[in-house]
Amino acid sequence: MNFDTLCIHGSEVKYDRTGAVSVPIFQSSTFVHPGVGQSTGYDYSRVQNPTREHLERTLTRLENGVDALAFSSGMAALTALMELFSPGDHIIASDDLYGGSRRLFDNISGKNGLEFDFVNTSDIDKIEESIRTETKAVFVETPTNPLMQVTDIAEVSQLCKELGLLLIVDNTFLTPYFQRPLDMGADIVLHSGTKYLCGHNDTLAGFLVVSDLGLSERLRFIYKTTGACLSPFDSWLLIRGLKTLPIRIQRQQESAIKIAQWLCGHEKVRAVHYVGLPSHPNYGVSVRQASGFGAMISFELDSERTALGLLENVKIIQYAESLGGAESLITYPMHQTHADLPPELRKLKGINETLLRLSVGLECTEDLIADLEQAMEVS
Ligand SMILES: *Cc1c(COP(=O)(O)O)cnc(C)c1O
């Protein structure tokens, strides 16, 4: 079935007999047993709930996996994922990650005995150099946040398969609409469903999608044991959001390409990081492994003054964390998403006082450009 159709009819299972076109919200914590030792398939909503199951089946098909688990946030999904590992295990991760992922690895996973090396995973040699006997997994975000580095998923997956390592890909920025890591050999896909999958800046959610049943079984055990499951109502909001994912992200990308080009020509802009620009260092890999570039842009301004002025003077674009929704949002990575990174590391990476990150929403492109233009004129 075509992707767009799957977004609308992703689960073929019907959960009620009324003919309701919209999936019912089964707002029930528990389910009656028909008899001793019998089950309707649902016992307790932490384990499974019909509304959540519908969502999980849909996402499984969108990512071409064998199972998907829906969590109460992206960070809850990542926290559960880390429970696959034991003290002493070593993980190689991208050095340019969502700040919250890095905070979890440094402060929580580290305390629990996991060891990390953070490298630029767009360079496979850097991954190979970091492999030890204790290495169990490679964790990549592609494109990365906020600097838009791209990792060649198929190439890294081949290396991981040779060495028996798990390849985990955070696919939040491109979504399965543009990129399907499991098809390229990844074992697990992570999502912050809060972003494009939900698409309306109104719900937190997270997902793990897996490529084999063994992983599904292990993660399902962790899931029911630790309990950060997505509520029935939030599952319904995600089901609803997913229906328009293709048209939303297409349109957001169209605008992003125009805005990135416009930014490139602005005198106060020093650099534009957008994977859809042919000048992007990983443009070739992007074209090969993804069918689109998404709608996230980061850019460097000529001074801190311009950056602050822009943040304070935008009128349509809103200065707020998060991304992927209908409303365009602009962030200051140094002070928001990446505030917890060690300052030396931030500096090394170029996450400085002139770098802003823009999530292009669904407003009229010309209005967004006019908004950026007037905000930069004032500053
Ligand atoms: C937002 C985000 C997360 C964390 O997800 P939450 O839903 O905010 O918990 C993880 N990875 C990426 C790339 C993100 O943008």
Side-chain angles (χ1 to χ4, degrees):
M1 211 185 280
N2 172 281
F3 190 95
D4 295 24
T5 310
L6 281 178
C7 285
I8 312 287
H9 303 286
S11 169
E12 61 284 75
V13 181
K14 294 280 177 227
Y15 296 95
D16 84 324
R17 297 206 205 102
T18 65
V21 167
S22 169
V23 180
I25 300 166
F26 287 88
Q27 192 66 39
S28 187
S29 57
T30 190
F31 299 84
V32 175
H33 297 287
V36 175
Q38 293 177 7
S39 168
T40 59
Y42 306 96
D43 302 309
Y44 191 64
S45 279
R46 173 158 29 78
V47 182
Q48 196 47 293
N49 172 284
T51 314
R52 193 169 73 229
E53 189 176 60
H54 181 101
L55 170 64
E56 292 179 342
R57 282 178 192 273
T58 304
L59 208 74
T60 301
R61 296 179 81 185
L62 295 181
E63 283 285 7
N64 214 6
V66 304
D67 193 16
L69 294 80
F71 292 83
S72 54
S73 71
M75 291 318 299
L78 186 54
T79 303
L81 176 63
M82 287 300 111
E83 294 297 336
L84 283 178
F85 303 101
S86 305
D89 285 354
H90 172 247
I91 297 171
I92 299 166
S94 302
D95 63 353
D96 184 45
L97 288 178
Y98 171 69
S101 305
R102 181 70 193 245
R103 181 171 57 220
L104 180 89
F105 293 161
D106 284 346
N107 297 285
I108 311 288
S109 311
K111 167 182 74 69
N112 293 338
L114 307 191
E115 291 179 22
F116 291 84
D117 266 315
F118 297 98
V119 304
N120 182 347
T121 51
S122 38
D123 180 354
I124 190 128
D125 295 341
K126 293 274 187 314
I127 301 179
E128 281 194 276
E129 284 163 18
S130 308
I131 289 166
R132 316 180 196 158
T133 44
E134 300 82 16
T135 308
K136 291 284 160 34
V138 176
F139 181 95
V140 306
E141 207 176 287
T142 183
T144 59
N145 187 347
L147 294 171
M148 315 296 163
Q149 293 163 1
V150 176
T151 295
D152 186 329
I153 299 173
E155 186 185 46
V156 176
S157 124
Q158 203 177 346
L159 177 71
C160 286
K161 286 204 185 338
E162 280 163 23
L163 298 167
L165 312 179
L166 283 179
L167 175 60
I168 304 156
V169 178
D170 184 332
N171 201 27
T172 301
F173 271 30
L174 288 186
T175 83
Y177 184 74
F178 285 137
Q179 171 170 283
R180 269 179 273 180
L182 300 182
D183 288 350
M184 291 180 268
D187 301 287
I188 302 175
V189 162
L190 169 84
H191 274 286
S192 168
T194 312
K195 315 293 169 52
Y196 290 100
L197 302 183
C198 167
H200 293 75
N201 289 322
D202 55 12
T203 313
L204 293 174
F207 295 96
L208 294 176
V209 193
V210 297
S211 62
D212 85 76
L213 286 169
L215 278 172
S216 156
E217 221 169 276
R218 287 167 69 197
L219 285 166
R220 284 273 165 208
F221 180 81
I222 294 166
Y223 187 85
K224 76 171 176 192
T225 307
T226 55
C229 51
L230 192 65
S231 75
F233 183 60
D234 287 351
S235 298
W236 183 83
L237 284 169
L238 262 288
I239 292 168
R240 179 173 154 133
L242 278 177
K243 289 181 197 281
T244 54
L245 171 67
I247 52 170
R248 280 188 284 108
I249 200 162
Q250 278 267 21
R251 173 57 205 284
Q252 282 165 286
Q253 169 174 270
E254 261 170 49
S255 281
I257 291 170
K258 288 186 195 151
I259 293 170
Q261 284 166 346
W262 178 82
L263 283 169
C264 286
H266 197 285
E267 56 176 14
K268 290 187 181 173
V269 177
R270 269 205 313 224
V272 180
H273 308 290
Y274 178 59
V275 291
L277 292 172
S279 57
H280 188 283
N282 310 123
Y283 182 77
V285 182
S286 291
V287 171
R288 208 163 59 236
Q289 72 181 5
S291 59
F293 308 108
M296 295 301 299
I297 303 170
S298 62
F299 55 104
E300 293 166 35
L301 294 156
D302 59 356
S303 66
E304 181 178 20
R305 201 166 142 259
T306 308
L308 291 171
L310 197 158
L311 290 173
E312 277 164 12
N313 290 298
V314 279
K315 295 192 166 70
I316 297 169
I317 299 167
Q318 297 171 94
Y319 171 37
E321 275 178 63
S322 204
L323 60 106
E327 298 82 6
S328 294
L329 302 179
I330 195 158
T331 59
Y332 207 9
M334 185 177 93
H335 286 296
Q336 293 174 297
T337 48
H338 293 71
D340 283 352
L341 273 196
E344 333 71 78
L345 189 68
R346 266 204 317 258
K347 204 162 160 195
L348 196 72
K349 299 206 59 60
I351 303 174
N352 58 31
E353 59 289 338
T354 70
L355 182 80
L356 300 181
R357 191 192 73 185
L358 175 66
S359 167
V360 178
L362 286 170
E363 303 91 342
C364 162
T365 317
E366 286 66 38
D367 284 347
L368 294 175
I369 290 176
D371 195 27
L372 289 168
E373 185 155 41
Q374 65 77 27
M376 281 201 260
E377 247 162 47
V378 183
S379 49

